[in-house]
DNA sequence: TGTATAATATTGTATATACAAGTTAGTGAG
DNA sequence: CTCACTAACTTGTATATACAATATTATACA
């Protein structure tokens, strides 16, 4: 059972829900701290914290003496989205397919135990999959999954559904950290991706959370000549 | 005359200065809230706020009961932010320096004209700069700038201020598009970055807007072994 | 009617205080 | 020696209170 939601978070969620649902649009006035104090029966400090964090996250802007308003545009830049490789492949007009090289249980190494906040040796699910577009490999996925967060992980047929699609459903994504690097593949990796070992690859490491639990840690490797990451940033 | 610095900001600055100066390294323990309370003669709430904001900005990590520690690597907040390479270098505890290889006018090729929404042959500013940390090249910047958006661009001394710092001031950033790829450097690029031509590089192409005008188009090249891009994604 | 001042509303910072939960080290008992 | 308990320390959340600064509105006076 999860802990009760902190009050400042409930206030944040309420305002964000209103923005997301279109009840509050860019430029609209957001309730003041004192109004939130009354509405939510919290202290002004709690309301201030909720609003301050939303401001830090780019959703709202605040002016002393004036008030608090929904920010223009979407201030929070679109981070690297967690999208399904199948979707990306199809968006290129290619047909996605997958080859599951490994799918089973493993024991958490010290590093993974630390990353998952589990004990060393704790059971994890592990999958290794090559994703292709029109039969040409485009992504080598190596992923460890927390069984506590996603108990039915290994029951899925990842030749037909991507891990990402399944995880997005089974373990609602709260947050993800990404690290992007340019690397050379190992000989084994190069072979699996059907490229030379001298081909630069984009390596994305992703750690995703569901609730307050690390759900999955993945390393995604893309041939440099086959993959490009695009993102957009917007400022208020 | 500037307003006195808020106390929570002074505490933040002090810790960030220590990290930037290398006095605190990744994994090192940061003073606890109660220690900061004594050192800075502030309330615990004020110390908590300072640490909480630094955590939100990715510089530190915190564990209840355990303590506060400098984050591993630099967790860049949110999207691929448009940040100054000087700032990034300094956050690594290194000293930034720059070598301007080219700074002058050019005529817009068909491709650049299209990207800037200008006529082919229209004047553009062009700079090529190698940025280094502790004397070791880390970024090769090749940038075209729209003179209509940034008329004084070439008056700046980019040996001492980064193009990004200047652009952020002279042409308030509204929006930026990023493309990230893994590539091999050309022989010339490899030479400028002091790496082998077989070293994979992270190539970031950035198009930034001020108002409704494209201000700048840059290609930034980083040696794979020297640079890692970190981003964070949050869903509600 | 126009202007100045006071009152009100809003954000911004800071403190003291309190309770809750997690971690670790030390001590005492078996 | 081992285990359990306690104390000390740490982070996490919440409240009441206070003062400061900014912006707007209401009121009073000319």
């Amino acid at each position: 059972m999860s802990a009760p939601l902190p009050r400042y978070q409930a206030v944040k969620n309420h305002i964000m829900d209103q923005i997301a649902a279109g009840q509050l649009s860019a430029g609209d006035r957001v309730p003041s701290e004192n109004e939130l104090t009354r509405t939510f029966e919290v202290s002004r400090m709690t309301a201030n914290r909720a609003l301050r964090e939303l401001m830090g996250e780019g959703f709202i802007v605040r002016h002393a003496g004036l008030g608090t308003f929904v920010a223009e545009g979407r201030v929070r830049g679109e981070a690297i989205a967690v999208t399904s490789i199948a979707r990306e492949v199809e968006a290129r007009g290619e047909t996605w397919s997958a080859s599951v090289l490994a799918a089973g249980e493993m024991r958490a190494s010290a590093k993974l135990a630390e990353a998952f906040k589990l004990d060393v040796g704790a059971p994890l699910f592990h999958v290794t999959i090559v994703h292709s577009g029109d039969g040409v490999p485009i992504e080598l996925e190596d992923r460890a999954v927390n069984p506590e967060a996603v108990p039915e992980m290994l029951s899925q047929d990842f030749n037909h559904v991507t891990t990402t699609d399944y995880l997005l459903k089974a373990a609602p994504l709260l947050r993800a950290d990404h690290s992007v690097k340019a690397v050379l593949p190992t000989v084994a990796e190069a072979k699996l991706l059907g490229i030379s070992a001298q081909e630069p690859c984009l390596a994305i490491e992703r750690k995703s959370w569901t609730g307050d639990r690390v759900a999955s840690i993945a390393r995604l490797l893309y041939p440099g000549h086959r993959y490009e990451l695009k993102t957009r940033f917007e400022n208020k």
Side-chain angles (χ1 to χ4, degrees), chain A:
Chain A
M1 301 277 50
S2 58
L5 202 60
R7 289 167 162 226
Y8 74 90
Q9 190 64 54
V11 175
K12 285 181 74 179
N13 290 348
H14 173 77
I15 293 170
M16 284 177 61
D17 288 347
Q18 285 196 307
I19 295 175
Q23 287 154 20
L24 283 175
S25 303
D28 285 358
R29 188 179 154 283
V30 174
S32 71
E33 294 178 358
N34 284 331
E35 284 168 339
L36 294 172
T37 295
R38 291 187 291 266
T39 304
F40 288 88
E41 299 190 322
V42 294
S43 78
R44 195 190 136 208
M45 290 300 300
T46 302
N48 172 277
R49 179 169 178 185
L51 292 179
R52 196 164 13 90
E53 288 194 4
L54 286 174
M55 177 175 69
E57 288 153 22
F59 293 102
I60 59 175
V61 293
R62 317 191 72 203
H63 301 282
L66 198 52
T68 298
F69 305 88
V70 179
E72 296 289 338
R74 181 74 187 277
V75 176
R76 192 182 71 173
E78 289 180 17
I80 302 180
V82 176
T83 60
S84 160
I85 183 66
R87 199 106 41 254
E88 293 184 53
V89 165
E90 281 157 12
R92 297 156 68 110
E94 298 172 12
T95 301
W96 169 77
S97 61
S99 174
V100 179
L101 304 184
E105 294 204 355
M106 65 180 292
R107 293 292 165 177
S109 62
K111 187 179 167 191
L112 281 177
E114 167 72 33
F116 276 101
K117 299 288 192 281
L118 295 173
D119 296 330
V120 176
L124 293 175
F125 295 143
H126 174 250
V127 295
T128 304
I129 304 170
V130 174
H131 301 269
S132 303
D134 283 349
V136 181
I138 182 169
E139 175 187 291
L140 174 58
E141 169 186 1
D142 192 78
R143 186 182 296 265
V145 177
N146 184 348
E148 291 173 16
V150 199
E152 303 301 324
M153 182 73 182
L154 295 183
S155 312
Q156 316 307 315
D157 177 10
F158 292 119
N159 287 299
H160 291 103
V161 62
T162 67
T163 53
T164 302
D165 284 326
Y166 176 67
L167 285 171
L168 284 176
K169 247 191 333 188
L173 178 66
L174 182 67
R175 191 173 129 215
D177 279 354
H178 289 95
S179 160
V180 185
K181 298 183 201 171
V183 300
L184 288 180
T186 64
V187 172
E189 288 169 339
K191 186 167 176 185
L192 290 174
L193 287 172
I195 58 175
S196 96
Q198 280 78 49
E199 159 114 28
C201 295
L202 204 57
I204 301 182
E205 287 175 12
R206 174 181 295 149
K207 181 176 181 181
S208 62
W209 281 260
T210 188
D212 59 355
R213 198 164 6 201
V214 177
S216 156
I217 297 180
R219 183 173 191 259
L220 313 170
L221 197 65
Y222 306 86
H225 81 276
R226 276 274 268 159
Y227 192 80
E228 166 183 18
L229 189 53
K230 291 202 171 194
T231 76
R232 169 164 296 179
F233 172 86
E234 294 197 13
N235 199 359
K236 47 173 185 206

